[in-house]
Amino acid sequence: MSSGRPLFILVGRDAMVNRNLAWALEREKGLRIRRQVRMWIWAYGFMAPSLILFALIVLYPSMEAFRLSLYRWSLFGEKEFVGLANYQRMVRDPLFWQSLKVTCIWTLGVVPWVMVLGMLTALALNQPWLPGRGVFRTIYFVPVMTSVVASAFVWRWLFEPTFGVVNWILRQIGIVDPPGWLASTTWALPALMTAGIWKQVGYAMVLFLAGLQTIPRELREAAEIDGANPWQIFWHVTLPLLNPTVVFVAVILVINAFRVFSIPYVMTSGGFTYLTPGGPLNSTRVFVLHIYDLAWKQFDFGYGAANAIVLLLMIMTVTLIQLRILQRPFEY
């Protein structure tokens, strides 16, 4: 050999170098794994309070509700395991389908109006030339901060058939026989939906305003230079870049619509001509009000829990469908 050293010395030295290199790589791998383990421990340590609260407040009650839905239990008697009988009973229950129908009408009637009015209000209040924008934003957001129960009481007074302000105004403009509103099976639900729209427009407006202010102004200015009119700028520039906000607002509003309770309960309970929540004749019996009636009026907790599980599954399904249909990839 050119080095003049024996072959076994060179082989032994190379083997030692390889062993040292392998040991160094193993040590580095072990250090990297230990660092990752420490990072995971710290991450889960910080997440532990939220995970514990989620398990106690959401996960455990949901599992307990599903377990309860497999029993027949009226609070005052023994639990009787009935399997899926409560779900089979639900399919044959006309009140289940009525409450589902009312909830779907509420969702289809409230959500689009809230989104359209919230979007238009946000576009108007996002204009830099508009004086007093902060004041108008506060005024439109006041309904969101107002107590739901207090607001529902005011709206119930406004729509009162005999002495309500709405019918008084209608009589003043020449309508001799105004609608019965909360005493009418035809007009009760539209009256409630009006209150629901009024309550949520400010919430949608704030979210749309936040989304509009993240869109670079240079993009709109470039579209204007290219000769686009305001409608083309909105349809081809603003709306596509606002897609994440639109998806978020739509999902939140639909979830709120499926779990609406306070407005129908307050506005349809008591008064002169209507006494049972969800009336008259179950024309405003939304799904959560139906669950409340089953569990806390009829004390049929097993059947009420089965309805609650179905509501949960419907909300999850509709949310996934919305995300699938509405969500679009975008880039600036």
Side-chain angles (χ1 to χ4, degrees):
M1 298 180 61
S2 60
S3 62
R5 297 183 181 182
L7 180 61
F8 70 88
I9 295 178
L10 294 175
V11 172
R13 185 184 63 182
D14 292 342
M16 183 177 296
V17 170
N18 291 336
R19 282 197 300 270
N20 291 338
L21 180 60
W23 178 82
L25 292 175
E26 288 293 330
R27 183 173 180 275
E28 179 63 25
K29 181 179 179 181
L31 292 174
R32 187 166 58 251
I33 292 174
R34 284 195 291 272
R35 282 196 299 268
Q36 291 178 349
V37 170
R38 284 198 298 269
M39 291 175 62
W40 278 103
I41 292 174
W42 277 105
Y44 279 106
F46 284 115
M47 293 169 58
S50 299
L51 292 175
I52 293 173
L53 285 175
F54 178 80
L56 293 177
I57 298 175
V58 178
L59 189 58
Y60 172 74
S62 300
M63 296 175 62
E64 184 64 17
F66 176 72
R67 187 186 69 84
L68 185 59
S69 70
L70 303 178
Y71 288 82
R72 181 182 293 116
W73 184 41
S74 62
L75 184 63
F76 303 106
E78 295 292 331
K79 290 182 180 179
E80 178 187 356
F81 181 79
V82 294
L84 299 178
N86 285 325
Y87 296 93
Q88 295 172 351
R89 173 186 169 188
M90 195 183 310
V91 177
R92 301 187 299 268
D93 186 359
L95 283 180
F96 165 78
W97 295 108
Q98 171 66 14
S99 62
L100 183 60
K101 172 186 172 183
V102 172
T103 302
C104 291
I105 294 174
W106 177 286
T107 303
L108 295 175
V110 171
V111 173
W113 276 106
V114 172
M115 293 195 67
V116 171
L117 294 177
M119 176 77 75
L120 293 176
T121 308
L123 289 170
L125 297 181
N126 194 48
Q127 301 302 319
W129 50 264
L130 182 67
R133 288 184 299 166
V135 177
F136 285 110
R137 291 174 184 178
T138 303
I139 292 173
Y140 283 111
F141 194 70
V142 165
V144 182
M145 300 183 293
T146 307
S147 167
V148 180
V149 176
S151 303
F153 270 111
V154 173
W155 279 100
R156 190 176 77 173
W157 172 68
L158 291 174
F159 281 112
E160 206 284 323
T162 307
F163 306 104
V165 175
V166 174
N167 278 358
W168 179 84
I169 295 175
L170 293 177
R171 291 189 188 98
Q172 297 305 308
I173 62 176
I175 300 178
V176 180
D177 187 20
W181 298 117
L182 301 180
S184 168
T185 56
T186 303
W187 293 100
L189 188 58
L192 270 61
M193 291 163 60
T194 302
I197 293 170
W198 172 85
K199 180 68 179 173
Q200 298 181 87
V201 166
Y203 176 74
M205 175 204 70
V206 169
L207 294 177
F208 284 133
L209 268 175
L212 288 170
Q213 292 173 2
T214 62
I215 299 176
R217 187 176 299 274
E218 294 81 5
L219 297 177
R220 290 193 288 267
E221 293 174 350
E224 290 176 358
I225 293 173
D226 290 337
N229 58 44
W231 170 252
Q232 291 172 329
I233 293 174
F234 170 76
W235 188 256
H236 296 288
V237 178
T238 303
L239 191 58
L241 296 179
L242 204 61
N243 180 261
T245 306
V246 172
V247 173
F248 178 77
V249 173
V251 169
I252 294 298
L253 290 179
V254 169
I255 292 175
N256 289 341
F258 269 88
R259 63 185 186 88
V260 65
F261 172 78
S262 299
I263 291 177
Y265 180 84
V266 174
M267 291 184 66
T268 62
S269 61
F272 295 104
T273 56
Y274 40 92
L275 299 172
T276 304
L281 299 178
N282 296 314
S283 60
T284 60
R285 188 185 179 97
V286 293
F287 204 88
V288 178
L289 196 57
H290 175 63
I291 296 172
Y292 167 80
D293 179 62
L294 292 173
W296 300 106
K297 289 292 189 68
Q298 303 179 30
F299 296 105
D300 195 347
F301 288 101
Y303 187 46
N307 280 265
I309 293 298
V310 170
L311 176 61
L312 173 63
L313 295 177
M314 286 193 301
I315 290 176
M316 293 175 61
T317 302
V318 171
T319 300
L320 292 175
I321 292 174
Q322 284 181 281
L323 293 175
R324 181 72 175 178
I325 294 176
L326 298 177
Q327 202 165 29
R328 297 287 185 274
F330 75 101
E331 60 180 67
Y332 293 118

